[in-house]
Amino acid sequence: QVQLVEFGGGSVQAGGSLRLSCAASGNTGSTTIMAWFRQPPVKEREGVAAIYTDGGSTYYADSVKGRFTISQDNAKNTVYLQMNSLKPEDTAMYVCAAGGGSRSVDPFNPLRFGYWAQGTQVTVSS
């Protein structure tokens, strides 16, 4: 089992920045990828950013490229999501997830993630 605890989130004005953290504990050696998903109000969940824990390959949704950065601190078993130039459309519940599988699998396929955090709200006002 892997436990995920998120930190960060909150409210910010458009153009501002926030950093989310996701600390993993337990059998973290069983996971190969960690990702951030988000679910805006009345919209479907979408993958935002993902990182392979063994080498740091990163993936981003087109909507956040150039503004969001995912990174990891393996010593702390923690993944971060730095969000800059935030827009009102970034408003959503952000959820950290951990999973397995090879690089041939879509990094944002939710079926590969067996562990999910509780979610943290990010609200961007115009």
Side-chain angles (χ1 to χ4, degrees), residues 2-122:
V2 175
Q3 294 78 42
L4 301 174
V5 179
E6 294 179 354
F7 301 91
S11 298
V12 66
Q13 290 191 326
S17 299
L18 284 173
R19 188 174 84 154
L20 306 181
S21 302
C22 177
S25 61
N27 189 20
T28 57
S30 66
T31 61
T32 60
I33 185 172
M34 294 188 70
W36 291 93
F37 289 79
R38 68 183 181 187
Q39 185 154 16
V42 298
K43 290 185 179 180
E44 292 186 356
R45 179 178 56 190
E46 62 175 344
V48 175
I51 186 167
Y52 280 96
T53 57
D54 60 351
S57 298
T58 57
Y59 302 84
Y60 296 94
D62 288 343
S63 58
V64 306
K65 281 180 182 176
R67 300 188 298 121
F68 290 12
T69 301
I70 188 170
S71 62
Q72 61 184 355
D73 184 334
N74 286 339
K76 297 181 179 179
N77 286 326
T78 299
V79 171
Y80 305 95
L81 184 67
Q82 178 66 43
M83 305 184 292
N84 298 328
S85 302
L86 283 161
K87 305 175 181 179
E89 51 263 43
D90 294 318
T91 294
M93 179 71 72
Y94 284 72
V95 185
C96 170
S102 71
R103 282 173 165 77
S104 63
V105 179
D106 178 359
F108 295 130
N109 184 342
L111 295 178
R112 70 181 303 177
F113 294 92
Y115 306 101
W116 297 81
Q118 76 282 4
T120 185
Q121 180 66 35
V122 171

